[in-house]
Amino acid sequence: MSGMNGTWIVAACAGLLGFAVWTTLSPVTAEEIVPRLAQADSQPQSDKAVALREFMRRKLAASNKILEGLVIEDTRLIREGAQTLNEMSSAEKWRVSNDVMYRQFSTEFRRITQKLDDAAKEGNLDQAALKWFDATLSCMECHRFVRGMLVTGEK
């Protein structure tokens, strides 16, 4: 990645990641969160919920590897994160729905993470950064879709 151009791409990646986190959080006030947390703490969580939370944390850890790799220009970290996300997207835990749109989101995500891995393998950090944008946007769109399904009661 060349000097100033690389700096802008890394800054854009960090900005997009921040935006992704911000837009995926529910717009609630602190007054609404406290009762929800108290209620969640008082109810035992199912094994499935705990396993799903752990799975989501692994997705975040893989995502962090990619971002770190882009920031420090370490293609090994980018590839590890991309490969992990690609493998996870094929796991049974990943499939929260058999809906045609959800399957399309998952297929597209696997395609993007493969291209991200390919770009890192070739040492093309600019292309890897662009594919990371694509992957992040794909996550945001899919999570928005799934939340919509949960609100309407579809599965």
Side-chain angles (χ1 to χ4, degrees):
M1 203 178 300
S2 60
M4 200 60 156
N5 188 27
T7 302
W8 282 110
I9 289 176
V10 169
C13 281
L16 183 61
L17 183 62
F19 178 74
V21 170
W22 177 73
T23 59
T24 57
L25 295 175
S26 302
V28 294
T29 65
E31 292 79 22
E32 293 172 309
I33 292 174
V34 173
R36 287 183 189 181
L37 291 175
Q39 183 182 15
D41 287 342
S42 67
Q43 296 176 348
Q45 291 190 340
S46 70
D47 290 341
K48 186 176 182 179
V50 171
L52 182 59
R53 178 179 294 137
E54 182 180 313
F55 186 77
M56 297 303 283
R57 292 288 175 200
R58 285 183 33 227
K59 284 172 44 180
L60 286 173
S63 296
N64 284 338
K65 272 189 178 183
I66 295 167
L67 183 59
E68 181 181 357
L70 288 168
V71 170
I72 64 172
E73 299 184 353
D74 183 337
T75 58
R76 180 188 56 80
L77 282 175
I78 297 167
R79 293 196 70 205
E80 284 177 12
Q83 290 167 3
T84 298
L85 287 176
N86 194 288
E87 290 166 10
M88 291 179 77
S89 70
S90 297
E92 184 64 33
K93 288 179 189 174
W94 183 278
R95 288 188 284 282
V96 297
S97 171
N98 200 30
D99 179 89
V100 117
M101 286 295 298
Y102 182 80
R103 288 193 319 261
Q104 178 60 34
F105 278 120
S106 291
T107 299
E108 179 67 8
F109 185 78
R110 279 190 292 279
R111 187 187 64 76
I112 292 168
T113 55
Q114 183 58 57
K115 286 187 174 191
L116 172 59
D117 183 35
D118 293 344
K121 183 178 181 179
E122 295 166 4
N124 188 340
L125 293 168
D126 290 336
Q127 183 66 19
L130 292 172
K131 288 301 154 193
W132 180 233
F133 284 146
D134 288 348
T136 303
L137 289 173
S138 175
C139 287
M140 290 169 49
E141 290 170 359
C142 185
H143 279 247
R144 187 173 295 125
F145 175 77
V146 169
R147 279 193 308 274
M149 285 175 51
L150 296 175
V151 167
T152 62
E154 299 176 29
K155 273 231 172 171

